[in-house]
Amino acid sequence: MTRAAPLPAEQRRESIIAAARPLLLAHGDAFTTKQVARAAGVAEGTIFRVFSSKQDLLNAVVADVLDPTPLIKALDEMTPDADLDERVHHIIELLHRSMSDVRAFFAAIHAIPAHGKLFRGSTLSNPKNPDPHHPDACDDAGSASPAHPPVAPDEQMRAKQQQTDLASQAAVERALSPFADQLSVDLATAAGFLRSVTFATIHPFLMNGAPPMTPDQLSALLLHGLKKES
């Protein structure tokens, strides 16, 4: 029987991350690399040829969740809209979906008792500093191993987060640019406002117990204000 050709290195990495993501949601950091290998359809040793440690894999899964590339691609590939109202609505839909996915991921993780080692020492557990890395690495059984440093120092993470934020901001500006002459503010201000308000409406603490707003409701509010039309 002819053996299937091995996947290119980047594809193999992506397939392992995709296999680990639901296991992380289901088990916290208590999942094993054996489970990941089974889910990815590879030998366990393959994981450690791609990732230096289980913690390296955990960091890669979190980075994948936070990666803005799919959002940016969707914004850049938007089909032409008839007017500004439609464009704002479509932008909000994409932002809402992306931000909701990230929020749901971390809500699920923090609801799992086994998430302790994953975030112990991490600024993810400290809302004042949302750095997703922590100084412990985990072996296959999920036990902490301080011998392995975090994948990236805090300074590198802050720089990465800033680059991510700037890339997302620029993508929203590009999406709004065909209607720039219809905006009451410049593109940067409009894009930043859309992103900030969309985030606020999916965050339970910022909504003070109010039900989440749908993209339809939010786009109508942003475009037409609080005053009811007569």
Side-chain angles (χ1 to χ4, degrees):
M1 183 173 66
T2 304
R3 294 182 62 186
L7 289 173
E10 188 56 35
Q11 264 186 272
R12 176 68 71 203
R13 177 183 172 85
E14 290 173 0
S15 70
I16 293 171
I17 290 172
R21 185 166 170 168
L23 290 169
L24 179 59
L25 282 173
H27 307 292
D29 64 352
F31 73 85
T32 68
T33 50
K34 289 184 178 67
Q35 290 174 306
V36 177
R38 193 179 306 117
V42 299
E44 189 176 6
T46 300
I47 294 174
F48 292 105
R49 286 194 289 274
V50 178
F51 299 96
S52 61
S53 65
K54 181 180 173 182
Q55 183 61 51
D56 189 18
L57 172 57
L58 289 170
N59 289 341
V61 173
V62 174
D64 182 63
V65 172
L66 298 176
D67 182 11
T69 302
L71 170 64
I72 291 171
K73 185 173 185 290
L75 287 166
D76 285 339
E77 294 178 353
M78 291 177 69
T79 56
D81 289 308
D83 53 33
L84 178 61
D85 286 32
E86 287 187 7
R87 177 50 56 100
V88 168
H89 182 269
H90 288 163
I91 292 172
I92 290 173
E93 280 187 323
L94 292 173
L95 290 173
H96 192 277
R97 187 181 310 136
S98 176
M99 292 176 181
S100 295
D101 286 349
V102 171
R103 180 181 173 274
F105 179 86
F106 285 104
I109 290 299
H110 281 283
I112 299 171
H115 87 283
K117 288 188 290 294
L118 174 61
F119 296 128
R120 186 175 60 230
S122 161
T123 47
L124 265 182
S125 60
N126 179 357
K128 294 182 180 178
N129 188 352
D131 178 357
H133 293 280
H134 70 81
D136 294 338
C138 298
D139 60 21
D140 186 49
S143 59
S145 173
H148 295 87
V151 170
D154 285 349
E155 295 77 12
Q156 290 180 348
M157 278 304 303
R158 279 193 288 270
K160 174 77 172 176
Q161 289 167 350
Q162 185 176 30
Q163 289 172 357
T164 294
D165 188 65
L166 289 173
S168 300
Q169 169 75 14
V172 177
E173 289 181 31
R174 289 194 297 273
L176 284 171
S177 61
F179 303 94
D181 60 343
Q182 298 178 41
L183 297 172
S184 62
V185 293
D186 60 85
L187 281 172
T189 301
F193 189 67
L194 281 180
R195 295 173 64 232
S196 298
V197 174
T198 302
F199 174 75
T201 58
I202 66 167
H203 199 296
F205 296 111
L206 296 177
M207 288 298 288
N208 294 317
M213 295 184 70
T214 66
D216 285 345
Q217 293 171 322
L218 182 55
S219 60
L221 180 62
L222 289 177
L223 287 163
H224 306 295
L226 292 171
K227 186 177 180 181
K228 183 183 294 187
E229 294 183 7
S230 55

